[in-house]
Amino acid sequence: MTDIFPISFVFSILLIFISKIIEKKGIVNIRQSPQTLHTRSVSRFGGIAIFLSLILVSLIDSSENYQFMRVALYCSSPIFILGILDDLQLEIKPIIRLIIVFPSAFLSYWFLGVEAYSVDIPYIDSLFELKIFSIIFICFAIAGMVNAFNMIDGINGLVLLYSLTICVLILLFQSSSSSLDINLFFVAIFFAILAVFILNFPFGRIFLGDGGAYFLGIMLSIGVIKYYQINALSPWYVFSVFIYPITDVFFSIFRRIISKVSAVKPDSKHLHHIVYRRVKKIGLESENSNHAITTILMFILYFPFLLSANYFANNSLILQIQCLIFISFYLAIYILLNPKDLTNRKA
């Protein structure tokens, strides 16, 4: 499975080389959007390197051990293609994106049995006895996570390091009942991401792109939910693992509502943007240094909670408490760094 690393690395180098050739022809790859913090042309196709390396290895090795990963890749393909189209700067309306995301979420339920059984909350749990509710819930949850991963993207290494951390901690704390195909799934994703991470952090030679963010959002959602199912963990384990992107997306929606702007309109007021602007005030000349410090600071914020989520994976009460603590920390840091950003005024 470690052969995925060199394959992903070679694909990444090739994509960087192609980007340089295209740039010489006058075609620059700079996104004109509010959340973009980069000022130079860089390949946004790191997600392609991750996707192709996983596809290639899973097809070469046709054993049953990689069947889960193969099916997960097929299920995630619509979302991955959607993200690549966005990276090619083809304008796709937010509502259309949401509609396209649902087929992948449903495919993961249909072919992999990825679903939710409860949330450990009285009365709400009884709704999961209705199959249609369970299906709708998991489709919305996965679609939301795909969007959340894209929201926290934009800083060198941020989503990649977060994804690597999820994989490492699950493998370190894996239960004795964990199946080999699920373990190999996380090992494969880890090495595919690691190759891109080395080139992305801290120097930003290649970006993950929307395709990569969407892809990691659905693949890790599928993997973590299936891991929770197989090991009969607390449903709050899944919430705890993804509490950072979940908090970011819900707070962003709340912030935009009170600011009277579209909830689906992108902006540069996420917590990592606020932290990045504070880091820039230090006065470092290197943009890469500013990105690196921001990514490390965000890692310091979410890592203890990811570690705790895996250690207390069966304890719903502790996981619920830690989710509340993280949300409190997130809000406190946001308000402390930029209290005026709860309005639509410029930060």
Side-chain angles (χ1 to χ4, degrees):
M1 187 58 73
T2 55
D3 53 355
I4 288 181
F5 175 83
I7 294 173
S8 181
F9 190 82
V10 169
F11 275 132
S12 298
I13 294 295
L14 180 60
L15 289 165
I16 293 172
F17 180 70
I18 293 173
S19 179
K20 294 296 183 183
I21 293 177
I22 293 175
E23 185 179 351
K24 289 181 179 180
K25 295 182 179 296
I27 303 175
V28 296
N29 198 349
I30 302 177
R31 292 294 294 271
Q32 302 298 325
S33 62
Q35 71 270 37
T36 298
L37 298 176
H38 300 88
T39 58
R40 59 192 179 88
S41 178
V42 177
S43 172
R44 292 177 51 84
F45 299 120
I48 292 180
I50 296 173
F51 182 82
L52 290 181
S53 62
L54 291 172
I55 282 285
L56 185 60
V57 171
S58 66
L59 291 178
I60 291 174
D61 191 325
S62 58
S63 69
E64 283 297 315
N65 292 331
Y66 305 116
Q67 182 63 15
F68 179 83
M69 186 173 72
R70 275 192 292 271
V71 177
L73 286 167
Y74 298 147
C75 292
S76 65
S77 293
I79 288 180
F80 174 69
I81 294 171
L82 170 67
I84 294 301
L85 292 177
D86 203 20
D87 288 326
L88 292 171
Q89 301 189 32
L90 298 177
E91 187 174 350
I92 303 174
K93 294 182 178 180
I95 188 63
I96 301 299
R97 295 183 192 181
L98 188 61
I99 292 173
I100 295 175
V101 167
F102 274 91
S104 283
F106 181 76
L107 288 173
S108 67
Y109 158 77
W110 187 261
F111 290 107
L112 294 171
V114 173
E115 60 180 314
Y117 307 120
S118 74
V119 290
D120 270 358
I121 299 176
Y123 302 111
I124 294 181
D125 277 0
S126 61
L127 294 174
F128 284 91
E129 296 176 7
L130 301 172
K131 202 65 175 178
I132 185 65
F133 177 83
S134 178
I135 295 173
I136 292 174
F137 180 89
I138 200 65
C139 286
F140 268 101
I142 292 176
M145 194 53 56
V146 168
N147 189 53
F149 265 64
N150 194 43
M151 279 189 172
I152 64 173
D153 191 24
I155 299 289
N156 291 353
L158 182 55
V159 172
L160 292 168
L161 183 58
Y162 178 67
S163 301
L164 287 171
T165 306
I166 290 175
C167 294
V168 168
L169 290 179
I170 285 179
L171 292 168
L172 287 177
F173 286 89
Q174 61 183 283
S175 169
S176 58
S177 59
S178 293
S179 61
L180 180 59
D181 58 344
I182 296 298
N183 289 339
L184 289 176
F185 173 85
F186 285 110
V187 171
I189 291 180
F190 173 83
F191 282 110
I193 294 172
L194 183 62
V196 178
F197 178 75
I198 290 173
L199 294 168
N200 172 267
F201 181 85
F203 301 112
R205 302 299 183 190
I206 188 170
F207 296 156
L208 183 60
D210 288 345
Y214 287 170
F215 178 65
L216 292 183
I218 187 170
M219 288 291 281
L220 288 176
S221 295
I222 290 172
V224 171
I225 294 172
K226 199 64 182 179
Y227 178 76
Y228 134 78
Q229 288 178 295
I230 291 173
N231 296 287
L233 304 176
S234 164
W236 282 88
Y237 169 75
V238 180
F239 283 106
S240 296
V241 168
F242 295 123
I243 190 60
Y244 167 39
I246 288 174
T247 302
D248 189 81
V249 71
F250 276 103
F251 179 67
S252 296
I253 292 172
F254 168 76
R255 176 171 50 77
R256 291 167 184 175
I257 289 175
I258 66 172
S259 299
K260 297 181 180 180
V261 298
S262 172
V264 296
K265 184 179 180 180
D267 62 24
S268 59
K269 295 185 178 182
H270 297 276
L271 181 59
H272 61 275
H273 291 125
I274 304 303
V275 173
Y276 175 80
R277 286 197 285 269
R278 287 289 180 171
V279 170
K280 282 191 70 174
K281 291 183 179 180
I282 297 174
L284 299 176
E285 294 184 3
S286 170
E287 180 181 320
N288 291 328
S289 297
N290 292 327
H291 279 260
I293 293 173
T294 302
T295 294
I296 292 170
L297 290 174
M298 296 306 297
F299 174 80
I300 292 172
L301 171 63
Y302 65 71
F303 177 74
F305 295 92
L306 272 178
L307 184 64
S308 177
N310 283 277
Y311 189 80
F312 297 105
N314 285 298
N315 194 317
S316 290
L317 179 59
I318 292 180
L319 294 177
Q320 289 169 346
I321 292 173
Q322 81 161 35
C323 284
L324 290 175
I325 293 174
F326 179 88
I327 293 170
S328 299
F329 277 3
Y330 182 101
L331 295 177
I333 293 170
Y334 194 102
I335 294 171
L336 180 64
L337 293 181
N338 205 350
K340 294 183 179 180
D341 218 26
L342 291 180
T343 71
N344 200 32
R345 294 191 295 270
K346 185 177 180 180

